[in-house]
Amino acid sequence: MTGASSIRSFPPKGSISARDLVKTFNRGSTRALDHLDFGAAPGEMTAVTGPSGSGKSTLLYALAGLIDLESGSVSVSGETPRTHAEWTRMRQRHIGLIFQDDWLLPTLTCAQNVELPMIGLEHNQKRRRERVDELLKRVNASDLADRTPAGLSGGERQRVAIARSLANRPEILLADEPTGELDSGNSQIVMDLLTTLSTREKMTIVIVTHDPRVARACGRHFVLCDGKGTYSDLSSETEAS
Amino acid sequence: MTFSSIAYANLRSHAVRTLATLFSVLLAVASFVALIGLARGVEQSLLSALNQRQTDVVITEKGAVDLISSIVDEDLAERIEAFDGVSDAAAELTRMTSLDNGGSAVVVAWHPGAYPWRALTLSQGALPDERAGEAAVVGEAFANRYGLEVGDALRLFHTDFEILGIADSESLLTRNLVMLPLATAQRLTFREGQATAINVRLDPALSQAGKTAAIERLKTGFSEYAVEDIQALATGHTFARIADVLSRSIAVVALLSAVFAIFNTMSTAVRERRGEIAIMNAVGWSRQQIVLLILLEAAVLSGAGGLLGCAAGAGVAHAVAGWDAVSGIVDPAISPRLLAEGLLISIFMGLAGALLPALQTTSLSPASVLRGK
């Protein structure tokens, strides 16, 4: 493990950094994030690993502004949102989110699910529809456009969820166990998609994972334990494992 | 895809629950429209009949519960007619009686030659004169309902009456009346010398202010009686007030039930969809947008229920008005304004019932919901 500082100097667009994050649960008895620092440069693909309960998902939700912190701040593309409204705007424009459970809305078709984040941002329905077609084609799910999520396989659903996360052209993608419920074949498809986004489109990607294969696909590795985190050298860890 | 298409998709996905709630709203709005329409119909029927008779003021016994139970001396009409500003005054006896065929009739009686007789338009026959005994004029709707024609016999108060004429009128109440000579009606109902009211026609040459002043003078001059202009009488007499209070009370209970039904439906719906709502927030929907979507669903649901409820309420009111017991007395007043009120109330109920669940759900942390599954 290296002791590299997590706070580095990044160009603003596409960077995400967190400083001195503190988050407790159970009325303060469980410290999920303990004065944690984190940073990812534009285009970087970072794996966040650690044992269960180490605070991995909490970190991801903190980076997305989905939880209230006791202290600390998160900067996204050079901005530091504070209020719920500022975070909502940030997620709408700069951050794409992928979850272990795809959380597709069952009452909408796959195309409508992908279109969902664009409501309120892109008012031209034709342009929205073109963007949806483009995204579904990109994740190889064009044939699923008019189907509802109910009849889809886990891999198909996750591909649609990835398309949804890209709807508003975010610079940053945060993924919480995106392959957690997929078989190895579908896991590979999803990781290929994410790797392509990082390498070709310079998208900043942070992936919370238990899967060493997913972690190995990432350029950087952030290990969490008891709410504290450090960067590790992937090659040495791979050898050790 | 729009807000409304998302709302529609959500409602359609739980068709049974949506239909059950829609039915609750339908029932509540139908109750409101039917009850209020019938209550207002009672007022309008009376007002229309009095207008048709060219009556401006009605004088009854002070404290009488309703028009039928009022007792005044028929000679009062002469004293009133001599009053400044009064053109005509007519003693009137009103009774409700059952018919041999099981139906009922509203019977009014005036002295032959009194101005309410003169205000009648006959489609057939003639008016009774001073010598008429057991003679009657019936309204056209009453004649049609019982298949009566001029010259036929009508049995009332255990006595056969000859139908002398058939009266047409714009007033539903008048079209359903049986009209008799006062003396005959008094004799057969043991009310000799008595009337239930004195109908007063003010001098038509008076201005509105002159009429108002004349009414005030009548009130002062006959302070031992209830002196009311016809508008006040139609809305203020005990029967109308009871009908109004009862109908409003029942309508309020029905409407509150519907608010609870919508609250229950929307609470269940948003609880089931907490994850979906959290993901909407996670992908950039603001709290306001999500609340708006939930309120839109409730408004669509309650608006649809309200529209159907207005139609159902109008149908029920007309069906009730056709029942023998009230036929010819009540003409449901289902005005566009009442229907608009019903629709607006239903939408307001929807919004009121959905607001709390919407605010509660959107105040939850998305992370706690998404991780809690």
Side-chain angles (χ1 to χ4, degrees), chain A residues 5-239:
Chain A
S5 167
S6 58
I7 304 299
R8 297 172 291 161
S9 181
F10 303 136
K13 190 169 169 61
S15 69
I16 184 162
S17 61
R19 182 182 288 275
D20 197 29
L21 301 185
V22 175
K23 177 64 184 176
T24 60
F25 293 107
N26 303 325
R27 300 185 180 205
S29 61
T30 305
R31 191 163 280 238
L33 301 178
D34 189 4
H35 299 281
L36 184 84
D37 294 336
F38 173 85
E44 239 171 23
M45 193 165 172
T46 306
V48 178
T49 62
S52 294
S54 59
K56 302 186 298 293
S57 292
T58 305
L59 170 61
L60 199 84
Y61 287 119
L63 294 176
L66 290 171
I67 53 172
D68 294 322
L69 296 162
E70 270 87 45
S71 72
S73 63
V74 176
S75 293
V76 180
S77 289
E79 292 182 55
T80 306
R82 301 276 178 197
T83 65
H84 287 294
E86 287 171 355
W87 267 116
T88 300
R89 184 181 162 279
M90 193 58 73
R91 286 193 297 273
Q92 188 181 43
R93 291 162 191 266
H94 301 286
I95 299 173
L97 283 163
I98 304 168
F99 301 91
Q100 180 174 353
D101 187 309
D102 54 76
W103 285 110
L104 296 175
L105 270 58
T107 55
L108 304 182
T109 63
C110 291
Q112 288 172 327
N113 266 287
V114 175
E115 191 182 350
L116 194 67
M118 291 186 253
I119 305 270
L121 191 65
E122 171 58 74
H123 298 293
N124 184 311
Q125 287 208 43
K126 185 167 174 279
R127 278 205 290 271
R128 288 210 304 255
R129 187 69 214 188
E130 285 169 358
R131 175 72 178 153
V132 168
D133 291 343
E134 175 194 330
L135 287 167
L136 286 174
K137 188 176 175 188
R138 191 160 164 188
V139 298
N140 197 23
S142 295
D143 54 330
L144 308 177
D146 296 325
R147 291 175 63 184
T148 54
L152 306 185
S153 70
E156 288 172 328
R157 292 168 66 104
Q158 197 61 293
R159 278 188 280 147
V160 174
I162 291 172
R164 180 182 63 189
S165 72
L166 302 174
N168 290 333
R169 297 182 172 84
E171 304 102 48
I172 298 158
L173 200 57
L174 304 177
D176 187 9
E177 302 275 12
T179 60
E181 294 194 348
L182 302 182
D183 57 34
S184 58
N186 277 309
S187 293
Q188 192 55 53
I189 291 170
V190 167
M191 283 314 297
D192 287 347
L193 266 171
L194 296 179
T195 307
T196 303
L197 289 169
S198 172
T199 53
R200 291 196 192 160
E201 301 188 22
K202 303 299 175 197
M203 188 176 277
T204 310
I205 299 177
V206 180
I207 305 175
V208 166
T209 184
H210 277 108
D211 188 341
R213 288 170 298 177
V214 172
R216 276 197 296 274
C218 298
R220 297 180 75 226
H221 193 186
F222 189 72
V223 183
L224 265 168
C225 189
D226 295 333
K228 294 180 183 296
T230 51
Y231 290 95
S232 77
D233 184 333
L234 274 176
S235 55
S236 62
E237 189 174 83
T238 306
E239 284 164 15

Side-chain angles (χ1 to χ4, degrees), chain B residues 169-188:
Chain B
S169 172
E170 287 183 3
S171 156
L172 176 81
L173 191 56
T174 304
R175 285 203 305 277
N176 283 278
L177 283 180
V178 176
M179 290 154 277
L180 307 178
L182 182 62
T184 308
Q186 286 172 328
R187 176 168 50 81
L188 293 173

Side-chain angles (χ1 to χ4, degrees), chain B residues 83-96:
Chain B
F83 219 73
D84 184 29
V86 173
S87 167
D88 299 282
E92 176 182 279
L93 183 67
T94 305
R95 305 290 292 170
M96 280 195 79

